[in-house]
Amino acid sequence: MMLNDLGLRKEQIFNSLKPGTNVLLEDKSFGKIIEKVVGRYPDHSFLITTLKPVPGIKNTLDNLSTFITIKFFLEGRLYTGKTSVFHYTFKPTGLLFLKKPVNLERISVRKTERVKCFFPGGITHEKDSRFFPGLIIDLSEGGAGFVFKNPWHKEQFKINEKVKLKITFILQEKELVIPSYIKRFFHNNRNIGAGLAFSHETSEAKEKLEFIKKFVREILEYKIFTE
């Protein structure tokens, strides 16, 4: 379900929050806490989330008299609104009952938003197996920033040239080779790099880009939730 018309579909947005979705709750009385959706009340009037037993949280919730801010990602979009606490319990486990958010609005998060990273990688010409190693220094859903290990290797490439970009995700133990285009060259301190745009021309490339999209969104969610 695409939620483009926020004015008409606030109800669908609320009802589309699935168990496991992270929500950020924010108020000056307790700062920021991140909980997970576990469900909704049968009549959908309340959102139920986890509630971690952090020191002082019971006293804080008992004395809340105003709305608190709620933020969450849905279908790659960031939403924010105001909610209030209806009930909470720590027996048998921590649960928080939140009233349906009001003043819900979408916060702009560009698809080209980049996240910093440091992954081993390299590029090759489209029809040439010579490998030019380097470092991936940022990623977005649509492209990557690449720095050549040897600055002189930049002379082997041209703007708008089709290349293959190799990215090694160390922690995930995953390597991806993605068809890309060189959009620009740049200087990074004493290094020379290339800004690349990913190609979506093949189904194989689309599958790989789904992995990158998920990776980038998880980092952006963490960044936004912890800033």
Side-chain angles (χ1 to χ4, degrees):
M1 177 176 61
M2 297 304 293
L3 306 176
N4 295 323
D5 191 343
L6 181 57
L8 296 176
R9 300 188 177 182
K10 290 183 179 180
E11 191 74 18
Q12 289 96 322
I13 292 171
F14 175 73
N15 292 336
S16 295
L17 284 172
K18 298 178 181 179
T21 301
N22 287 328
V23 293
L24 171 71
L25 304 174
E26 185 174 10
D27 185 75
K28 62 181 181 181
S29 63
F30 57 77
K32 296 180 180 181
I33 58 174
I34 300 174
E35 302 294 349
K36 287 186 180 293
V37 173
V38 297
R40 286 184 297 276
Y41 208 65
D43 64 358
H44 285 205
S45 58
F46 300 104
L47 183 69
I48 307 172
T49 74
T50 57
L51 179 60
K52 293 184 283 291
V54 297
I57 191 65
K58 290 180 66 175
N59 183 61
T60 299
L61 294 177
D62 287 339
N63 290 284
L64 276 178
S65 59
T66 59
F67 286 107
I68 61 176
T69 298
I70 182 172
K71 294 180 182 179
F72 56 88
F73 272 92
L74 184 64
E75 295 182 350
R77 297 176 174 89
L78 176 65
Y79 294 91
T80 184
K82 297 293 184 180
T83 184
S84 56
V85 176
F86 173 74
H87 178 65
Y88 73 88
T89 182
F90 287 103
K91 296 179 180 180
T93 187
L95 292 175
L96 183 64
F97 294 76
L98 298 169
K99 292 184 179 180
K100 188 178 298 185
V102 297
N103 300 329
L104 197 62
E105 61 182 15
R106 194 172 84 193
I107 299 176
S108 176
V109 178
R110 296 164 49 224
K111 283 190 175 180
T112 54
E113 188 81 26
R114 295 185 178 273
V115 296
K116 293 182 179 180
C117 60
F118 297 96
F119 293 136
I123 57 176
T124 62
H125 296 282
E126 184 182 27
K127 298 180 179 179
D128 188 332
S129 61
R130 285 182 300 164
F131 183 74
F132 299 87
L135 192 67
I136 312 298
I137 60 171
D138 61 56
L139 277 173
S140 73
E141 293 184 26
F146 172 78
V147 171
F148 292 97
K149 181 177 180 180
N150 183 338
W152 293 104
H153 286 166
K154 176 252 185 184
E155 303 302 323
Q156 302 291 324
F157 298 91
K158 299 177 181 178
I159 299 293
N160 294 325
E161 179 181 353
K162 288 185 178 181
V163 297
K164 294 179 181 179
L165 174 68
K166 178 181 177 182
I167 309 174
T168 301
F169 293 84
I170 300 173
L171 293 178
Q172 292 84 354
E173 297 182 343
K174 190 177 187 70
E175 285 188 353
L176 298 180
V177 178
I178 305 172
S180 307
Y181 295 86
I182 293 180
K183 303 302 293 183
R184 66 186 181 92
F185 294 110
F186 62 84
H187 291 267
N188 184 308
N189 295 323
R190 296 181 179 180
N191 300 310
I192 294 179
L196 299 125
F198 299 140
S199 170
H200 298 72
E201 294 176 354
T202 66
S203 58
E204 182 183 3
K206 290 178 180 178
E207 290 179 6
K208 295 175 180 179
L209 293 178
E210 279 299 316
F211 175 87
I212 290 179
K213 181 186 296 185
K214 181 180 179 182
F215 174 85
V216 169
R217 288 183 177 179
E218 287 177 351
I219 299 299
L220 285 176
E221 180 176 335
Y222 176 81
K223 178 182 176 182
I224 290 171
F225 279 14
T226 56
E227 282 181 339

